[in-house]
Amino acid sequence: MPRPSFGKNRSIPSLNAISLSRIAPTSSSRTFRTFGSQNIAMASEPSSSESATNPPCPPDTAETTQKAQSDETTTPEQSAKPKLPPLTDHEFRQYNRLAEHMDLFHNHFRSTWNMLWGACTSGKRPGGMSLKAFIGAGLQFVQQLEMHHNIEETYIFPVLAKKMPEFRSGKGNGAAELLRQHKEIHRGLETLQEYLRKCKSGETELELRVLKTKLEGWGTVLWTHLDQEVETLGAENMRQYWTVDEIRRIPM
């Protein structure tokens, strides 16, 4: 499945190319603020109706993600970072702008994934959703996530990579972890799209147990990526590399 491309002569698209009318902030929205080595995620509790519509990510995915995060070690580069004075509230908002904006889009992807995964684990589609709408939502998820990654890799990551090793490209394992995650997610999206297209055309009948197998192989890396990318763009990390004026000029 080829990724969408943008010609060199076209203006730089915003991440808002994915309609914000479809991506309203959800109750799972998190804004990361780091105090020392402790990350504190501020979130409101979801309502019972939201929980029913968007069940939580698979337990195995959440547990694996937490284990992966707990196993992370501090690199020499991280140890060498100078200890900076506390940010004022205004400075924090400026430095945290990219993280908040990114998490808005990521919450949309989390919500759609949870809808698909919830149907697979419960054995039934959300109430009132037709088969056609369910398949369409899955295909739209693939298209929007691919577009999101393409915009990041073409226009945003190269700017961030000038100062941040977390966004540098390269061949194979030479690429930063976030970009390697993109490749793994892309392979999962290809598998999901191929199956859903066959279901849409009538070539095969949609079976939720089969759909589950198309999701579970890359759920862990997706959820890890959605959280890790936002945290990397958080205020305490960004201030290590950029001034407030530079942050304002980064396109997003």
Side-chain angles (χ1 to χ4, degrees):
M1 177 181 66
R3 295 194 179 192
S5 60
F6 298 93
K8 292 183 179 179
N9 296 325
R10 294 183 61 178
S11 59
I12 296 177
S14 163
L15 285 177
N16 291 318
I18 303 174
S19 174
L20 282 175
S21 64
R22 299 176 184 169
I23 310 178
T26 70
S27 59
S28 62
S29 178
R30 290 184 291 279
T31 301
F32 288 94
R33 184 159 191 171
T34 306
F35 297 87
S37 61
Q38 181 182 13
N39 294 323
I40 299 178
M42 296 173 283
S44 58
E45 291 297 325
S47 66
S48 57
S49 60
E50 288 172 329
S51 298
T53 304
N54 297 318
C57 65
D60 58 330
T61 297
E63 291 170 3
T64 306
T65 299
Q66 291 171 358
K67 184 179 185 302
Q69 291 173 339
S70 65
D71 290 343
E72 289 180 354
T73 57
T74 302
T75 64
E77 291 80 4
Q78 290 172 327
S79 301
K81 289 180 181 178
K83 186 174 182 179
L84 301 174
L87 292 170
T88 65
D89 289 343
H90 175 72
E91 289 171 333
F92 176 81
R93 287 192 296 271
Q94 296 298 311
Y95 276 113
N96 210 49
R97 178 181 68 86
L98 301 183
E100 291 181 353
H101 195 76
M102 187 67 73
D103 210 31
L104 177 68
F105 292 97
H106 286 192
N107 280 334
H108 171 66
F109 299 131
R110 292 181 184 108
S111 177
T112 306
W113 170 279
N114 279 340
M115 184 274 291
L116 296 171
W117 183 262
C120 293
T121 55
S122 67
K124 58 183 179 181
R125 299 189 303 275
M129 178 174 275
S130 67
L131 178 61
K132 180 179 179 180
F134 182 77
I135 294 173
L139 288 171
Q140 187 177 67
F141 171 75
V142 172
Q143 180 185 27
Q144 291 182 344
L145 187 49
E146 281 290 340
M147 180 183 293
H148 178 79
H149 282 177
N150 188 71
I151 292 173
E152 286 180 332
E153 293 180 14
T154 305
Y155 300 106
I156 299 173
F157 285 8
V159 175
L160 296 172
K162 291 177 181 178
K163 292 190 176 185
M164 302 177 72
E166 296 97 324
F167 295 98
R168 287 176 186 160
S169 60
K171 294 183 179 180
N173 290 333
E177 184 179 8
L178 290 172
L179 280 92
R180 297 199 304 272
Q181 291 168 350
H182 273 198
K183 292 185 181 299
E184 191 171 344
I185 292 167
H186 177 68
R187 288 192 291 269
L189 288 171
E190 284 185 319
T191 300
L192 176 62
Q193 184 182 59
E194 181 182 12
Y195 178 67
L196 290 176
R197 280 179 170 173
K198 289 181 179 179
C199 295
K200 182 179 181 180
S201 68
E203 181 179 344
T204 188
E205 183 178 350
L206 177 73
E207 296 183 63
L208 293 175
R209 62 177 181 82
V210 176
L211 178 61
K212 185 172 182 286
T213 67
K214 309 299 181 183
L215 294 170
E216 58 191 358
W218 53 286
T220 296
V221 68
L222 173 66
W223 280 79
T224 298
H225 177 77
L226 295 176
D227 290 341
Q228 183 177 333
E229 189 173 85
V230 171
E231 188 171 356
T232 302
L233 292 171
E236 290 296 340
N237 191 49
M238 296 298 282
R239 70 186 298 216
Q240 303 284 342
Y241 303 99
W242 309 92
T243 66
V244 170
D245 286 340
E246 288 172 334
I247 287 284
R248 292 186 183 126
R249 293 196 295 269
I250 295 176
M252 187 177 290

